[in-house]
Amino acid sequence: MTYEDSLKTNLTTALGLPDGAVSWLLGLWQFIQTFDDIVDGEEPSRADLDKMLWLALVDMPKNEFYRANAGWLIPVVSSAVLEWMASDYAERNGRADARSYVWRAGFYRVVCTVASLVHGPSSQISEMALGLYGETVDDYLKEFNHA
């Protein structure tokens, strides 16, 4: 099972999100992963780039869950992007630490917001949503020879 398959299962089963929310989140995750690969020097296939262009400009904006909740989602995605940029900047400048580890996990804060839009605010659901982030701070710091 790929990480994407596992994520889809968790979004659907563990968090009980509707299809539209799952579809939008998976599109966002795919876009983030492809962009992160490019930044890390990995070259995606032309087909992957075409898919990301379609996701970003067509599929994600027309998604009914997104359209109904854009007022909530745009600021959260904006914050996640800014946090990722800050994390990447810190990493490239030799300042990766526990803070930059937290900043790079913005996607899971988006998941938490989506879960709260579906189920209402809940400590239990929030913990489950944020707990989907699989990388530990120790593993992250090892990437930068801090541990």
Side-chain angles (χ1 to χ4, degrees):
M1 176 181 283
T2 66
Y3 182 81
E4 186 174 347
D5 292 336
S6 176
L7 179 60
K8 183 177 183 177
T9 297
N10 281 315
L11 294 173
T12 303
T13 306
L15 293 180
L17 300 180
D19 291 344
V22 171
S23 176
W24 184 79
L25 284 168
L26 289 174
L28 181 61
W29 184 83
Q30 291 168 350
F31 189 86
I32 290 167
Q33 292 305 306
T34 301
F35 188 81
D36 194 53
D37 288 347
I38 292 168
V39 169
D40 289 345
E42 300 171 31
E43 191 168 327
S45 70
R46 181 58 198 220
D48 285 342
L49 290 175
D50 289 346
K51 181 180 179 182
M52 293 310 105
L53 186 61
W54 189 263
L55 271 172
L57 298 177
V58 179
D59 272 357
M60 292 174 64
K62 75 176 177 78
N63 178 285
E64 289 300 319
F65 181 83
Y66 173 78
R67 291 168 58 101
N69 295 287
W72 283 95
L73 296 172
I74 291 170
V76 176
V77 171
S78 170
S79 180
V81 169
L82 292 170
E83 291 170 1
W84 182 87
M85 291 168 59
S87 176
D88 181 65
Y89 186 80
E91 292 166 7
R92 287 183 289 115
N93 288 284
R95 293 191 301 273
D97 60 16
R99 292 173 303 167
S100 59
Y101 164 79
V102 171
W103 299 337
R104 77 181 343 214
F107 171 76
Y108 297 93
R109 286 184 286 287
V110 176
V111 172
C112 187
T113 299
V114 168
S116 75
L117 289 168
V118 171
H119 300 294
S122 163
S123 299
Q124 181 182 4
I125 295 287
S126 295
E127 181 187 18
M128 288 171 52
L130 294 170
L132 295 177
Y133 187 41
E135 184 178 39
T136 67
V137 69
D138 290 336
D139 289 341
Y140 170 77
L141 292 174
K142 285 177 188 172
E143 288 182 49
F144 302 97
N145 299 318
H146 290 334

